[in-house]
Amino acid sequence: MARLQLLGTQAYPRNGEPVHLRLVDGDDHLLVDCGPNIVETFDALERPLTSVTDLFVTHSHADHALGVPYFLLGHFLTRAGAVADEPGEAVPPLTIRGPESALEAVDACLEAVTPGFDALAADASWTLEPTEPDDGFDVGDVSVTSLPADHVVPTQGLLFDGERRIAYTGDTTRSKALVDAVDRADVVIHESMYLESEADLARELKHGTAREAGRFAADVGADELYLVHVSDQYGDEHRVRFLEEAGEAFNGEVILPDRFDELSV
Ligand SMILES: [Zn+2]
Ligand SMILES: [Zn+2]
């Protein structure tokens, strides 16, 4: 059965890794966003970076995309035999998807952080495929569909259809289009950067609150709600408040996950 694993849960890398996740089904391995410590993260997972066959960049903000240059550098150096556990090991092709502006940011980031990398990239095997909302691709037996998030830059969430239907919103404010696109889900992984006391700031920055996450989960008929992308300003003493505010709008189970928690898909 396919597994979805949270590799980070936060909005800023001080109390933990920013939210990014992966979907694994057999040899197919999708990474959704790329945390700044992606190399150490994959060491902790005891998997090579090159086991990733698909990368999806939800949008171009640093907390989601800053690990991409190191991810690609690791990918290239492995192919070159420089960091491979077994030099010469086969490396699967890599497809990188996301909104066009996110893929442009990936290119710009590479130019800024790894000058000369373009020449190396000519030997690499990744391809860029810009996505629009409602575009689909498969990861093992799981159908993956991009979702129209509503954020300050073009952003797409993802819907995973396997034995369960799981929606990951990406960074987003309250959006009817996003609710309509998901339609129905068993599990929702929703950003909840703020509590209701910061609702005005959340709207200004086009982020979500715990209560909005609860309302979203109720709207799509979910049984479980995972709250991620929690702002750095909140400590452990606020955990109960996040659960309570989400629960004011949603009767199902509300979870503040830990890094490396897994869900079956
Ligand atoms: Zn963002
Ligand atoms: Zn973010």
Side-chain angles (χ1 to χ4, degrees), residues 57 97-107 129-132 154 156:
V57 183
R97 299 181 181 85
E100 189 153 23
S101 62
L103 300 191
E104 286 169 2
V106 168
D107 271 343
E129 283 186 15
T131 52
E132 300 286 337
Q156 292 169 15

Side-chain angles (χ1 to χ4, degrees), residues 156-172:
Q156 292 169 15
L158 289 175
L159 187 60
F160 305 100
D161 264 304
E163 292 185 17
R164 297 199 292 174
R165 186 170 162 99
I166 300 180
Y168 169 54
T169 60
D171 286 11
T172 191

Side-chain angles (χ1 to χ4, degrees), residues 59 61 63-64 151-153 155 171 207 229:
H59 66 299
H61 284 157
D63 50 324
H64 301 262
H151 194 36
V152 289
V153 294
T155 301
D171 286 11
H207 275 295
H229 205 284

Side-chain angles (χ1 to χ4, degrees), residues 33-117:
D33 288 334
C34 206
N37 292 311
I38 196 70
V39 175
E40 291 93 326
T41 298
F42 269 70
D43 272 353
L45 295 170
E46 298 184 341
R47 294 296 304 272
L49 289 171
T50 47
S51 63
V52 173
T53 52
D54 298 86
L55 169 66
F56 192 92
V57 183
T58 61
H59 66 299
S60 58
H61 284 157
D63 50 324
H64 301 262
L66 208 55
V68 171
Y70 264 113
F71 173 80
L72 293 181
L73 185 61
H75 200 270
F76 173 80
L77 291 176
T78 303
R79 288 176 62 85
V83 296
D85 293 332
E86 297 172 43
E89 70 185 281
V91 174
L94 171 68
T95 306
I96 306 174
R97 299 181 181 85
E100 189 153 23
S101 62
L103 300 191
E104 286 169 2
V106 168
D107 271 343
C109 208
L110 280 172
E111 274 178 37
V113 179
T114 56
F117 197 70

Side-chain angles (χ1 to χ4, degrees), residues 12 29 120 173 210 245 253:
Y12 184 75
H29 188 169
L120 302 181
T173 188
E245 290 193 359
E253 186 180 3

